[in-house]
Amino acid sequence: MSAAIAACEKGGEWDKALLIFSVMAQSKAEPHTFTCNAVISVCEKAGKWQEALQLILMMVQIGIESNTITCNTAISACEKGGKWTRALSLFAAVTQNELECNTITHNAAISACEKAGEWEKALHLLSLAQRESESNTISFTAAR
């Protein structure tokens, strides 16, 4: 099933990926973090931020552990959907749940703020990234 979801991701078939995932969740094949991340990534690439967030909620409800990739992809989905406040909420959840917050996490949150014209918040996130040694050229470019 994971291979089918990966094929959907490459083909931009987010609706088919969700269908496969739904069938998987209803059958005896229990979805795992890797599979969930693949479906969230399909949603992110298709601009389906709401579906990405619904998948994270479902993961919590059925006890599938999220990881840094899960959160990075969901933050990026919110950024692409122009939902900077949701992106920042996810960023806060990452730090509160003691998941690893890496350069990608920071850059996605900074970019969400930048695209929304929230430059003060972007600069604040950039300063956090610098303190945590998680900034790079992309961080500075996104914050400008």
Side-chain angles (χ1 to χ4, degrees), residues 79 84 88 91 105-131 135 138-144:
E79 175 254 324
W84 68 273
L88 289 185
F91 182 83
T105 315
H106 284 95
N107 289 349
I110 290 167
S111 184
C113 292
E114 180 272 327
K115 287 184 178 176
E118 295 292 331
W119 62 270
E120 290 174 326
K121 288 182 178 37
L123 289 176
H124 174 71
L125 290 169
L126 180 60
S127 71
L128 287 176
Q130 288 177 300
R131 278 195 299 252
S135 61
I138 295 169
S139 306
F140 288 97
T141 304
R144 65 176 176 91

Side-chain angles (χ1 to χ4, degrees), residues 53-123:
L53 294 183
Q54 287 175 343
L55 281 166
I56 289 178
L57 278 175
M58 188 222 52
M59 287 174 71
V60 170
Q61 290 169 348
I62 63 175
I64 298 173
E65 192 171 309
S66 62
N67 61 20
T68 303
I69 295 169
T70 311
C71 297
N72 290 350
T73 308
I75 290 169
S76 184
C78 291
E79 175 254 324
K80 287 181 177 158
K83 302 298 177 188
W84 68 273
T85 56
R86 302 249 179 167
L88 289 185
S89 293
L90 286 167
F91 182 83
V94 170
T95 57
Q96 289 171 353
N97 291 321
E98 298 181 8
L99 290 172
E100 182 184 339
C101 196
N102 61 22
T103 303
I104 296 168
T105 315
H106 284 95
N107 289 349
I110 290 167
S111 184
C113 292
E114 180 272 327
K115 287 184 178 176
E118 295 292 331
W119 62 270
E120 290 174 326
K121 288 182 178 37
L123 289 176

Side-chain angles (χ1 to χ4, degrees), residues 3-57:
I5 291 171
C8 290
E9 180 177 15
K10 288 180 183 171
E13 301 288 339
W14 66 273
D15 52 340
K16 289 184 176 102
L18 286 174
L19 179 63
I20 292 167
F21 184 78
S22 175
V23 168
M24 183 182 210
Q26 293 172 3
S27 72
K28 292 181 181 178
E30 188 174 307
H32 48 72
T33 304
F34 176 80
T35 306
C36 294
N37 288 348
V39 178
I40 292 168
S41 181
V42 173
C43 293
E44 179 257 336
K45 287 182 172 88
K48 300 295 180 184
W49 64 271
Q50 293 155 316
E51 287 80 357
L53 294 183
Q54 287 175 343
L55 281 166
I56 289 178
L57 278 175

